[in-house]
Amino acid sequence: MPERTPKALRQAIAEHAPELLPDFDAHWKRAIADTFDLGPVPAFMALWWGEYALARDPELDAHVQDLELRASEATDNAEAKALLEEASMIRHRVQQLEPGE
């Protein structure tokens, strides 16, 4: 993982997960640049930190997407909840990654 700064994260996305870059840039422009408000930066970084962490591990990303798809198609509430909880735990775990990991 890169340094935990918007600039370093953007550079890592551009290099290792360029498919995320248009959405990253559009979100930055809408939430930060156009508003001249730095207040949303921590939330922005948390979201994109996790998105990048998943994108750099295609197998894990595919697994999370599969869990979420299966949950959306589940007819049993308990099954859907379990699938979403597993996906959420993975998303939470990647949020905890530190620079250099």
Side-chain angles (χ1 to χ4, degrees):
M1 293 298 287
E3 284 184 48
R4 208 179 272 259
T5 67
K7 183 178 180 178
L9 182 56
R10 186 186 186 284
Q11 183 177 356
I13 288 172
E15 187 174 331
H16 302 288
E19 68 278 5
L20 296 179
L21 197 55
D23 289 338
F24 178 93
D25 286 343
H27 187 193
W28 179 264
K29 185 177 185 318
R30 182 179 68 253
I32 313 298
D34 285 353
T35 66
F36 299 98
D37 182 4
L38 297 178
V41 170
F44 177 90
M45 285 296 295
L47 171 70
W48 285 99
W49 189 260
E51 291 300 312
Y52 171 69
L54 285 176
R56 73 183 189 138
D57 185 341
E59 282 185 35
L60 185 59
D61 192 25
H63 179 62
V64 169
Q65 288 181 28
D66 179 61
L67 290 169
E68 293 171 344
L69 176 63
R70 288 171 39 213
S72 74
E73 296 171 345
T75 56
D76 177 68
N77 285 343
E79 178 186 4
K81 181 181 177 187
L83 292 165
L84 289 174
E85 285 176 349
E86 184 178 347
S88 178
M89 286 187 323
I90 294 168
R91 288 185 177 278
H92 180 73
R93 190 171 65 239
V94 299
Q95 286 287 339
Q96 306 308 310
L97 292 172
E98 293 294 332
E101 290 185 297

